[in-house]
Coordinates of all heavy atoms in Angstrom, one line a residue:
L219 N -14.4 23.2 -13.6 CA -13.7 23.0 -14.9 C -14.1 24.2 -15.8 O -13.2 24.6 -16.6 CB -14.1 21.7 -15.4 CG -13.8 20.5 -14.7 CD1 -14.1 19.2 -15.4 CD2 -12.3 20.4 -14.5
R220 N -15.4 24.6 -15.8 CA -15.8 25.6 -16.7 C -15.1 27.0 -16.3 O -14.7 27.8 -17.1 CB -17.3 25.8 -16.6 CG -17.8 26.9 -17.7 CD -19.4 27.0 -17.5 NE -20.0 25.6 -17.8 CZ -20.3 25.2 -19.0 NH1 -20.1 26.0 -20.0 NH2 -20.9 24.0 -19.1
A221 N -14.9 27.2 -15.0 CA -14.3 28.5 -14.5 C -12.8 28.4 -14.9 O -12.2 29.5 -15.2 CB -14.5 28.6 -13.1
A222 N -12.2 27.2 -14.9 CA -10.8 27.2 -15.1 C -10.4 27.1 -16.6 O -9.3 27.7 -17.0 CB -10.2 25.9 -14.5
F223 N -11.2 26.5 -17.4 CA -10.9 26.3 -18.8 C -11.8 27.0 -19.8 O -11.4 27.0 -21.1 CB -10.9 24.8 -19.1 CG -9.9 24.1 -18.3 CD1 -10.2 23.2 -17.2 CD2 -8.5 24.0 -18.7 CE1 -9.3 22.6 -16.5 CE2 -7.6 23.3 -18.0 CZ -8.0 22.5 -16.8
G224 N -12.8 27.5 -19.2 CA -13.8 28.2 -20.1 C -14.6 27.2 -21.0 O -14.7 26.1 -20.8
T225 N -15.2 27.9 -22.1 CA -16.1 27.0 -23.0 C -15.5 27.2 -24.3 O -15.3 28.4 -24.8 CB -17.6 27.6 -22.9 OG1 -18.0 27.5 -21.6 CG2 -18.4 26.6 -23.9
P226 N -15.3 26.1 -25.1 CA -15.6 24.7 -24.8 C -14.4 23.9 -24.2 O -14.3 22.7 -24.2 CB -15.9 24.1 -26.2 CG -14.9 24.8 -27.1 CD -14.8 26.3 -26.5
G227 N -13.4 24.6 -23.6 CA -12.3 24.0 -23.0 C -12.6 23.1 -21.9 O -12.0 22.1 -21.6
C228 N -13.7 23.4 -21.1 CA -14.2 22.5 -20.1 C -14.6 21.2 -20.6 O -14.5 20.2 -19.8 CB -15.3 23.2 -19.4 SG -16.8 23.5 -20.3
V229 N -15.1 21.1 -21.8 CA -15.5 19.8 -22.4 C -14.3 18.9 -22.6 O -14.2 17.8 -22.2 CB -16.2 20.0 -23.7 CG1 -16.5 18.7 -24.4 CG2 -17.5 20.8 -23.5
Y230 N -13.2 19.5 -23.1 CA -12.0 18.6 -23.4 C -11.3 18.4 -22.1 O -10.7 17.2 -21.9 CB -11.0 19.5 -24.3 CG -11.7 19.8 -25.6 CD1 -12.0 21.2 -25.9 CD2 -12.0 18.9 -26.5 CE1 -12.5 21.4 -27.1 CE2 -12.5 19.1 -27.8 CZ -12.8 20.4 -28.1 OH -13.4 20.8 -29.3
A231 N -11.4 19.3 -21.1 CA -10.9 18.9 -19.7 C -11.6 17.8 -19.1 O -10.9 17.0 -18.5 CB -10.8 20.2 -18.9
S232 N -12.9 17.8 -19.2 CA -13.7 16.7 -18.6 C -13.4 15.4 -19.2 O -13.4 14.4 -18.6 CB -15.2 17.1 -18.5 OG -15.5 17.2 -20.0
F233 N -13.2 15.5 -20.6 CA -12.8 14.3 -21.4 C -11.5 13.7 -20.8 O -11.5 12.4 -20.6 CB -12.7 14.7 -22.9 CG -12.1 13.6 -23.7 CD1 -12.9 12.5 -24.1 CD2 -10.8 13.6 -24.1 CE1 -12.3 11.5 -24.8 CE2 -10.2 12.5 -24.7 CZ -11.0 11.5 -25.3
V234 N -10.5 14.4 -20.6 CA -9.2 13.9 -20.1 C -9.3 13.4 -18.8 O -8.9 12.4 -18.4 CB -8.2 15.0 -20.3 CG1 -6.9 14.6 -19.7 CG2 -7.9 15.4 -21.8
L235 N -10.0 14.2 -17.9 CA -10.0 13.8 -16.4 C -11.0 12.6 -16.2 O -10.6 11.7 -15.5 CB -10.7 15.0 -15.6 CG -9.7 16.2 -15.6 CD1 -10.4 17.4 -14.8 CD2 -8.5 15.9 -15.0
F236 N -12.2 12.5 -17.0 CA -13.0 11.3 -16.8 C -12.3 10.0 -17.4 O -12.7 8.9 -17.1 CB -14.3 11.5 -17.3 CG -15.3 12.3 -16.4 CD1 -15.7 13.5 -16.8 CD2 -15.6 11.7 -15.2 CE1 -16.5 14.2 -15.9 CE2 -16.5 12.5 -14.4 CZ -16.9 13.7 -14.7
L237 N -11.4 10.4 -18.4 CA -10.7 9.2 -19.0 C -9.8 8.4 -18.0 O -9.5 7.2 -18.3 CB -9.9 9.7 -20.2 CG -9.5 8.7 -21.2 CD1 -10.6 8.0 -21.9 CD2 -8.6 9.3 -22.3
V238 N -9.4 9.2 -17.0 CA -8.5 8.5 -16.0 C -9.1 7.4 -15.2 O -8.7 6.2 -15.2 CB -7.9 9.6 -15.0 CG1 -7.1 9.0 -13.9 CG2 -7.0 10.6 -15.8
P239 N -10.2 7.6 -14.6 CA -10.9 6.5 -13.9 C -11.4 5.5 -14.8 O -11.5 4.3 -14.6 CB -12.1 7.2 -13.2 CG -12.3 8.5 -14.0 CD -11.0 8.9 -14.4
F240 N -11.8 5.9 -16.1 CA -12.3 4.9 -17.1 C -11.1 3.8 -17.4 O -11.3 2.7 -17.5 CB -12.7 5.6 -18.4 CG -13.0 4.7 -19.5 CD1 -14.2 4.2 -19.6 CD2 -12.1 4.6 -20.6 CE1 -14.5 3.3 -20.6 CE2 -12.4 3.8 -21.6 CZ -13.6 3.0 -21.7
I241 N -10.0 4.4 -17.6 CA -8.8 3.5 -18.0 C -8.4 2.7 -16.8 O -8.1 1.5 -16.8 CB -7.6 4.4 -18.4 CG1 -8.0 5.1 -19.7 CG2 -6.4 3.4 -18.5 CD1 -8.2 4.2 -20.9
I242 N -8.4 3.3 -15.5 CA -8.0 2.6 -14.4 C -9.0 1.4 -14.1 O -8.6 0.2 -13.8 CB -8.1 3.5 -13.2 CG1 -6.9 4.6 -13.2 CG2 -7.9 2.6 -11.8 CD1 -6.9 5.5 -12.2
A243 N -10.3 1.6 -14.3 CA -11.2 0.6 -14.0 C -11.5 -0.5 -15.1 O -11.7 -1.6 -14.9 CB -12.6 1.2 -13.6
G244 N -11.3 0.1 -16.4 CA -11.7 -0.8 -17.6 C -10.6 -1.2 -18.4 O -10.9 -1.6 -19.6
H245 N -9.3 -1.1 -18.1 CA -8.3 -1.3 -19.1 C -8.3 -2.8 -19.4 O -8.0 -3.3 -20.5 CB -7.0 -1.0 -18.5 CG -6.5 -1.7 -17.3 ND1 -5.8 -3.0 -17.5 CD2 -6.6 -1.4 -16.1 CE1 -5.6 -3.4 -16.3 NE2 -6.0 -2.6 -15.4
D246 N -8.7 -3.8 -18.4 CA -8.8 -5.1 -18.7 C -9.9 -5.5 -19.7 O -9.9 -6.4 -20.4 CB -8.9 -6.0 -17.4 CG -10.1 -5.4 -16.6 OD1 -10.6 -4.3 -16.7 OD2 -10.6 -6.2 -15.7
V247 N -11.1 -4.8 -19.5 CA -12.2 -5.0 -20.5 C -11.7 -4.5 -21.9 O -12.0 -5.3 -22.9 CB -13.4 -4.3 -20.0 CG1 -14.6 -4.3 -20.9 CG2 -13.9 -4.6 -18.6
L248 N -11.1 -3.4 -22.0 CA -10.7 -3.0 -23.3 C -9.7 -4.0 -23.9 O -9.7 -4.4 -25.1 CB -10.0 -1.6 -23.2 CG -10.9 -0.5 -22.7 CD1 -10.1 0.8 -22.5 CD2 -12.1 -0.4 -23.6
T249 N -8.7 -4.5 -23.1 CA -7.6 -5.5 -23.6 C -8.4 -6.8 -24.0 O -8.0 -7.3 -25.1 CB -6.7 -5.8 -22.4 OG1 -6.2 -4.5 -22.1 CG2 -5.6 -6.8 -23.0
K250 N -9.3 -7.3 -23.2 CA -10.1 -8.5 -23.6 C -10.9 -8.3 -24.8 O -10.9 -9.2 -25.7 CB -11.0 -8.9 -22.4 CG -11.7 -10.2 -22.6 CD -12.5 -10.6 -21.5 CE -13.3 -11.8 -21.7 NZ -14.2 -12.2 -20.5
A251 N -11.5 -7.1 -25.0 CA -12.3 -6.9 -26.2 C -11.3 -7.0 -27.5 O -11.7 -7.5 -28.6 CB -13.0 -5.7 -26.1
W252 N -10.2 -6.3 -27.4 CA -9.3 -6.2 -28.5 C -8.7 -7.7 -28.8 O -8.6 -8.0 -30.0 CB -8.1 -5.3 -28.1 CG -7.0 -5.3 -29.2 CD1 -5.7 -5.7 -29.1 CD2 -7.1 -4.8 -30.5 NE1 -5.0 -5.6 -30.2 CE2 -5.9 -5.0 -31.2 CE3 -8.1 -4.3 -31.3 CZ2 -5.6 -4.7 -32.4 CZ3 -8.0 -4.0 -32.7 CH2 -6.6 -4.2 -33.2
S253 N -8.4 -8.5 -27.8 CA -7.9 -9.8 -28.0 C -9.0 -10.7 -28.7 O -8.7 -11.5 -29.6 CB -7.5 -10.4 -26.6 OG -6.5 -9.7 -26.1
N254 N -10.3 -10.5 -28.3 CA -11.4 -11.3 -28.8 C -11.6 -10.8 -30.3 O -11.9 -11.8 -31.1 CB -12.6 -11.2 -28.1 CG -12.5 -11.7 -26.7 OD1 -11.8 -12.7 -26.5 ND2 -13.3 -11.3 -25.8
I255 N -11.4 -9.6 -30.6 CA -11.6 -9.1 -32.0 C -10.5 -9.8 -32.8 O -10.7 -10.1 -34.0 CB -11.6 -7.6 -32.0 CG1 -12.8 -7.0 -31.5 CG2 -11.4 -7.1 -33.5 CD1 -12.7 -5.5 -31.2
R256 N -9.2 -9.8 -32.3 CA -8.2 -10.4 -33.2 C -8.4 -11.9 -33.3 O -8.0 -12.4 -34.4 CB -6.9 -10.1 -32.4 CG -6.4 -8.7 -32.3 CD -5.1 -8.6 -31.6 NE -4.1 -9.4 -32.2 CZ -2.8 -9.4 -31.8 NH1 -2.5 -8.9 -30.5 NH2 -2.0 -10.2 -32.3

């Protein structure tokens, strides 16, 4: 990622890429948390 996007571009690239498995695995947790807050 650092070689492809440089610095600090690699930080934003890792943010987007790690967000994918985060949403896939935890979207139900996020939805439940929002529903409980409401």
